[in-house]
Amino acid sequence: MPSTKKVGIIGAGIAGLSAGILLADRGIDVEILERADGPRTVGSGITLQGNALRILRQLGVWDRIQAQGYSFDTVGLRAPDPEATVLVVMNDVRTGGDDLPATVGMHRPELAAILRDRFDTAGGRIRYGADVLSIDSNETTATTVTTAGDRRSYDLLIAADGLNSATRGLLGIDIAPRPTGVGAWRVVVPRPTDVTRTDLIYGGPHHIAGYCPTSDDSIYAYIVEDAQVRDSAQPLIFKELAVGYGGPWKQIADSVDENTPANYTWFTTHLVEGPWHRDRVVLIGDAVHNCPPTIAQGAAMALEDAVVLVEELFADDAPLDAVFTRFRERRFERAKTVVESSTQLVQWMVDGHRGDVAEVIQRVAHMVKEPA
Ligand SMILES: Cc1cc2nc3c(=O)[nH]c(=O)nc-3n(C[C@H](O)[C@H](O)[C@H](O)COP(=O)(O)OP(=O)(O)OC[C@H]3O[C@@H](n4cnc5c(N)ncnc54)[C@H](O)[C@@H]3O)c2cc1C
């Protein structure tokens, strides 16, 4: 990597922290600018697929992920009947390799804390309350200016500022996340003892009811419905929706009260088709490709971006423009397949079309089994 000593990263999410770890490990001075006032301590669960786990192991955090999360290798389909009868249990593809489970569920704040600790140990710094408002980038330097007027200059700037990335607009990329027509409630509740993997119910009162164990004691449960204006501070709405389901869902619904942490989000999609960089600034993660979580690949794509970007940066002394172009070339088709496949699954839901969901999921799984 020619003459790059100081790297700035916008966003302390999965993409930003993982890129930060990889760079700090190689002796680069890395600073993350994060608009939040401090580390996030609340949040829902996340489903991490094998290809995400492979990279988390590469980052040196697999032991903690394994200890704090909940590993499993199968996925079940249940009927929308009063017992939520198990229709089929399928082996999931171990996309990270045979020595890693197919899936780990965990609390998002715990995953974030593990990555932050690791970044800290590697020597990186996070500046909280740093909301980047503008960027001045030229052939030698990228300078960020925050809403508080703080200016900082870097040899290279990685924009990992997520779904609603302001950096995209600052780089002249005119694209915004497109709503897909569905929204999801997520709640964190105690784990019913018979919940040991993800089970999905299609064809009930709402598009999907599902859950994922996140530890021995907890799960996150979700219901996907037609997108509407909802208030995340109203978990009792989730409870009303959950009452329509049987089996473990009875206990899930019973567990929810007005204090249950809940979140309601619309599923969106976008993919930046043109360049993912300008001058010394490059976009990674949700900022550049965002998929509805129907295949749970968003975090994996963010992690893979970080690894591929750092590999390309250290591959040779080529100018940054060539390095960033190579990075996008390595990532584009894979990210596109994930975005399009995830979006296709939502479209079938919205259209009430019985598409071959299993074929789509298997095809993506076999693609991401190959390292990025
Ligand atoms: C309902 C839902 C469920 C999902 N479930 C899963 C799942 O189970 N498995 C999975 O793999 N993926 C899932 N995803 C997708 C996954 O969460 C994302 O793909 C992933 O978090 C993207 O990480 P990121 O680092 O790119 O962005 P983010 O995690 O969004 O991080 C961006 C960071 O940038 C900061 N930031 C933004 N703007 C600025 C600014 N101007 N200045 C400074 N800081 C800024 C933000 O505060 C944030 O910390 C889900 C998504 C949704 C919506």
Side-chain angles (χ1 to χ4, degrees):
M1 186 161 60
S3 66
T4 299
K5 295 194 172 57
K6 186 168 183 186
V7 172
I9 297 177
I10 308 176
I14 295 169
L17 283 166
S18 47
I21 292 165
L22 292 162
L23 289 166
D25 275 354
R26 285 166 175 74
I28 301 291
D29 179 5
V30 190
E31 181 167 78
I32 297 185
L33 304 173
E34 168 55 52
R35 66 152 54 124
D37 289 335
R40 277 201 192 87
T41 52
V42 292
S44 184
I46 188 161
T47 304
L48 297 166
Q49 306 291 9
N51 58 320
L53 303 178
R54 177 168 56 209
I55 291 172
L56 290 165
R57 182 173 60 187
Q58 187 178 337
L59 297 179
V61 295
W62 167 238
D63 288 351
R64 284 187 70 186
I65 300 279
Q66 188 177 29
Q68 287 174 241
Y70 192 102
S71 304
F72 52 98
D73 281 307
T74 54
V75 59
L77 288 180
R78 288 177 178 260
D81 60 27
E83 288 75 39
T85 307
V86 176
L87 300 171
V88 61
V89 176
M90 295 167 286
N91 286 322
D92 252 349
V93 179
R94 288 187 158 198
T95 54
D98 289 339
D99 51 350
L100 287 168
T103 309
V104 167
M106 74 183 304
H107 283 300
R108 280 178 183 261
E110 289 186 26
L111 172 63
I114 290 169
L115 292 174
R116 275 196 313 269
D117 287 353
R118 177 68 178 81
F119 179 59
D120 188 45
T121 309
R125 297 181 305 283
I126 304 179
R127 287 187 181 276
Y128 289 104
D131 188 354
V132 176
L133 182 66
S134 68
I135 297 168
D136 182 12
S137 172
N138 57 39
E139 282 177 15
T140 55
T141 315
T143 302
T144 55
V145 183
T146 66
T147 48
D150 186 33
R151 291 176 71 85
R152 295 188 172 267
S153 293
Y154 305 98
D155 298 325
L156 156 64
L157 185 63
I158 299 173
D161 50 349
L163 190 60
N164 297 307
S165 162
T167 311
R168 277 197 310 261
L170 295 173
L171 299 193
I173 299 169
D174 183 19
I175 189 171
R178 178 175 65 77
T180 59
V182 302
W185 280 100
R186 286 173 294 168
V187 299
V188 178
V189 291
R191 183 174 72 87
T193 47
D194 56 342
V195 169
T196 55
R197 58 165 187 262
T198 287
D199 287 318
L200 299 166
I201 304 179
Y202 291 91
H206 313 290
H207 290 306
I208 305 177
Y211 44 67
C212 173
T214 44
S215 71
D216 282 342
D217 304 325
S218 64
I219 65 168
Y220 76 100
Y222 44 94
I223 290 179
V224 181
E225 59 171 13
D226 285 331
Q228 27 203 307
V229 178
R230 296 283 205 189
D231 179 357
S232 291
Q234 303 280 334
L236 295 182
I237 296 176
F238 176 90
K239 188 180 179 91
E240 277 171 33
L241 303 179
V243 164
Y245 295 96
W249 278 87
K250 293 191 194 315
Q251 191 178 330
I252 293 169
D254 286 348
S255 306
V256 176
D257 62 26
E258 62 276 15
N259 299 316
T260 301
N263 175 275
Y264 185 77
T265 319
W266 285 7
F267 289 178
T268 57
T269 179
H270 74 256
L271 174 69
V272 174
E273 300 268 352
W276 291 4
H277 75 281
R278 201 186 74 195
D279 296 329
R280 306 188 82 80
V281 186
V282 63
L283 295 155
I284 66 170
D286 270 14
V288 78
H289 46 66
N290 147 244
C291 51
T294 40
I295 318 183
Q297 274 291 328
M301 290 298 106
L303 287 158
E304 289 184 0
D305 278 358
V307 166
V308 173
L309 175 62
V310 174
E311 276 178 14
E312 290 299 336
L313 280 167
F314 281 85
D316 54 30
D317 283 345
L320 277 185
D321 185 61
V323 169
F324 291 158
T325 301
R326 285 195 319 236
F327 160 65
R328 180 192 168 282
E329 279 168 4
R330 266 182 75 184
R331 293 300 296 147
F332 184 76
E333 283 305 322
R334 186 162 166 122
K336 184 176 185 213
T337 300
V338 168
V339 169
E340 289 182 350
S341 304
S342 309
T343 308
Q344 175 70 78
L345 297 186
V346 174
Q347 195 59 49
W348 282 340
M349 266 190 260
V350 171
D351 295 344
H353 175 76
R354 272 183 167 272
D356 193 345
V357 174
E359 186 279 327
V360 173
I361 291 173
Q362 288 287 318
R363 186 162 40 79
V364 172
H366 285 288
M367 178 188 75
V368 299
K369 194 171 177 187
E370 290 301 315

